[in-house]
């Protein structure tokens, strides 16, 4: 079983729709990052959160530590939001098994059609 | 304030050659992380360094790969005797605080192609 599961893997939506991307993880974490990777390959950090909820513009990220689940929401989606969105839990150092540091989901490929 | 810089952006090497990838962190950042993204795969952590110290290299392949972050100058990821399977995008990120305490800012990546 993967340590990080994202859903959906692919999502196509119309401009203006409300988008939700989900992330479940199985490791102990100190924080969780949401990243955006554009078709050209560049990676932008959207959020780092360890509890509750954060909002930047049309983007909202929430995390439930007890349930080991995080969501990324996009309100009033726009074609420029088309990208791969990656959930990256940050392990506690020494939490056992695998590499410390960020572990990554496989990403959600989002396409917003005009 | 310039962002994280990586060079070269594209690197082509023949099998058996050495590849050197450079990463200059953001000003004031003393923590550097290297990640690899193989074609059609997700990102994977490789190594976490502070100035002159390797903090965590548990994601690095045991052979041919090494990393350093000297007191002066950029962080270097070095791959000796490259093989086709090393073809990937290599990203570095930097942060002003220790792992778990701050956002990481990513560079544009170096795309390594081994022919």
């Amino acid at each position: 079983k993967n340590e990080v599961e994202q859903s959906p893997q692919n999502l196509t939506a119309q401009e203006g729709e409300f988008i939700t991307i989900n992330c479940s993880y199985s490791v102990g974490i100190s924080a969780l990052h949401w990243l955006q990777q554009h078709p050209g390959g560049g990676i932008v950090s959207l959020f780092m959160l360890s509890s509750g909820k954060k909002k930047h513009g049309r983007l909202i990220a929430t995390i439930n530590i007890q349930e080991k689940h995080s969501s990324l929401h996009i309100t009033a989606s726009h074609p420029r939001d088309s990208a791969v969105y990656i959930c990256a839990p940050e392990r506690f150092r020494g939490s056992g098994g695998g590499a410390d540091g960020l572990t990554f989901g496989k990403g959600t490929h989002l396409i917003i059609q005009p | 304030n310039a962002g994280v810089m990586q060079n070269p952006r594209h690197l082509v090497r023949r099998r058996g050659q050495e590849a050197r990838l450079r990463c200059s962190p953001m000003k004031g950042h003393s923590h550097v992380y290297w990640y690899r993204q193989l074609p059609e795969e997700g990102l994977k952590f490789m190594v976490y360094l502070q100035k002159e110290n390797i903090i965590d290299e548990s994601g690095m392949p045991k052979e041919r790969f090494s990393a350093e972050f000297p007191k002066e100058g950029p962080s270097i990821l070095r791959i000796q005797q490259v093989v086709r399977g090393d073809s990937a995008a290599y990203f570095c990120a930097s942060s002003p605080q220790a792992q778990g305490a701050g956002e990481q800012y990513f560079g544009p990546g170096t795309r390594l192609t081994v022919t």
Side-chain angles (χ1 to χ4, degrees), chain B residues 2-107:
Chain B
V4 177
M5 297 174 70
Q6 289 187 249
N7 67 81
R9 296 289 301 276
H10 299 274
L11 181 62
V12 179
R13 285 284 178 267
R14 290 201 181 98
R15 277 181 298 170
Q17 290 185 319
E18 177 179 287
R20 280 185 178 237
L21 287 61
R22 293 174 186 76
C23 170
S24 296
M26 287 180 71
K27 190 176 179 182
H29 288 193
S30 58
H31 302 262
V32 166
Y33 314 82
W34 285 94
Y35 302 97
R36 177 165 69 171
Q37 188 173 39
L38 291 165
E40 306 304 320
E41 291 191 23
L43 287 154
K44 294 249 189 300
F45 167 79
M46 298 183 76
V47 62
Y48 163 36
L49 310 105
Q50 292 180 31
K51 286 279 187 184
E52 300 185 277
N53 285 306
I54 296 174
I55 305 303
D56 182 351
E57 58 181 347
S58 52
M60 287 273 271
K62 295 283 183 274
E63 296 176 352
R64 303 186 296 108
F65 284 71
S66 62
E68 62 177 13
F69 188 16
K71 188 176 179 182
E72 301 290 338
S75 175
I76 307 282
L77 179 68
R78 183 176 173 216
I79 311 172
Q80 294 178 292
Q81 299 175 320
V82 296
V83 300
R84 287 222 172 100
D86 298 331
S87 295
Y90 293 82
F91 291 93
C92 85
S94 72
S95 68
Q97 296 168 286
Q99 189 170 279
E103 282 194 47
Q104 295 185 19
Y105 296 82
F106 284 78

Side-chain angles (χ1 to χ4, degrees), chain A residues 29-33 48-50 63 65 88-92 102, chain B residues 100-101:
Chain A
I29 69 168
S30 54
L32 184 140
H33 301 248
M48 187 190 92
L49 64 167
S50 52
I63 188 168
I65 295 291
E90 187 161 4
R91 288 174 169 269
F92 283 121
L102 293 188

Side-chain angles (χ1 to χ4, degrees), chain A residues 17-35:
Chain A
E17 286 189 39
F18 182 81
I19 302 300
T20 295
I21 298 169
N22 294 302
C23 174
S24 296
Y25 55 91
S26 58
V27 296
I29 69 168
S30 54
L32 184 140
H33 301 248
W34 280 100
L35 309 173

Side-chain angles (χ1 to χ4, degrees), chain A residues 42-93:
Chain A
I43 297 173
V44 174
S45 175
L46 298 175
F47 294 101
M48 187 190 92
L49 64 167
S50 52
S51 65
K53 177 178 170 178
K54 283 191 177 180
K55 184 175 188 293
H56 289 156
R58 295 180 295 105
L59 300 178
I60 302 165
T62 64
I63 188 168
N64 184 319
I65 295 291
Q66 287 74 31
E67 294 186 4
K68 296 189 173 180
H69 182 269
S70 177
S71 292
L72 177 69
H73 306 283
I74 306 174
T75 61
S77 60
H78 190 276
R80 65 174 174 267
D81 297 326
S82 299
V84 177
Y85 291 85
I86 302 168
C87 168
E90 187 161 4
R91 288 174 169 269
F92 283 121
R93 294 199 61 223

